Amino acid sequence: MNRYDKVFLEKISEFPVEYNCKILAELQTRLKKLSDYKELTHFLYNDIKSIEIDMYLNPKMKIESVVDVKKALKVSLDVLNNTDIDLESPESIKETFIMKIKEAEMKNGQVLWPVRVALSAENFSP
């Protein structure tokens, strides 16, 4: 415990054990060592910092303007507002996202990149 961040341990202890276990289960394939946990999850335990519009833009993913970002986030809202989706099932969420992206005639990255940034304020996340 000496090598681990005491403040971070106190922060994660504020959350239900079930929440922490779900996160750990999702990270199993990405964790090389326990100390990676903080780096990979800090956005799940803290308020998200402000997000600059440049983080949403990604020419490689063909997200080149605010209009592209708004379109992508609109698709994601359509998914999350879908009353048929089981929000407790990652597979159901994934399937619905893929279907809605296809219906919008967009590529997965064009929607999933802005969603990742909006949720984590990070370019890369678990």
Side-chain angles (χ1 to χ4, degrees):
M1 183 139 107
N2 297 350
R3 297 182 59 186
Y4 212 70
D5 184 337
K6 187 175 181 180
V7 174
F8 184 68
L9 285 174
E10 289 171 1
K11 184 70 174 173
I12 66 174
S13 69
E14 295 172 9
F15 290 81
V17 171
E18 297 81 16
Y19 179 80
N20 294 323
C21 287
K22 282 182 181 181
I23 294 169
L24 191 56
E26 286 296 319
L27 289 177
Q28 282 181 343
T29 60
R30 300 204 70 195
L31 282 177
K32 304 258 188 286
K33 54 189 185 255
L34 187 56
S35 59
D36 294 341
Y37 189 84
K38 179 182 177 182
E39 182 181 329
L40 292 170
T41 64
H42 65 91
F43 65 91
L44 296 169
Y45 296 104
N46 297 294
D47 292 334
I48 292 180
K49 62 186 176 195
S50 64
I51 305 170
E52 298 295 325
I53 191 63
D54 291 350
M55 285 189 73
Y56 287 99
L57 304 178
N58 185 326
K60 183 179 174 185
M61 298 282 185
K62 301 203 183 320
I63 308 165
E64 299 174 348
S65 69
V66 172
V67 172
D68 296 334
V69 173
K70 286 181 178 180
K71 183 177 178 184
L73 294 176
K74 168 81 171 83
V75 170
S76 66
L77 279 175
D78 290 344
V79 170
L80 297 174
N81 287 324
N82 182 338
T83 57
D84 295 330
I85 190 172
D86 177 5
L87 293 175
E88 293 296 316
S89 166
E91 199 57 41
S92 177
I93 296 169
K94 179 181 174 183
E95 288 172 9
T96 307
F97 258 104
I98 300 304
M99 180 185 69
K100 289 289 186 185
I101 291 168
K102 191 177 242 183
E103 286 174 10
E105 298 180 355
M106 297 174 75
K107 298 201 179 287
N108 292 349
Q110 289 177 293
V111 174
L112 299 179
W113 180 275
V115 168
R116 175 180 27 257
V117 171
L119 291 174
S120 69
E122 300 285 340
N123 288 328
F124 303 98
S125 61

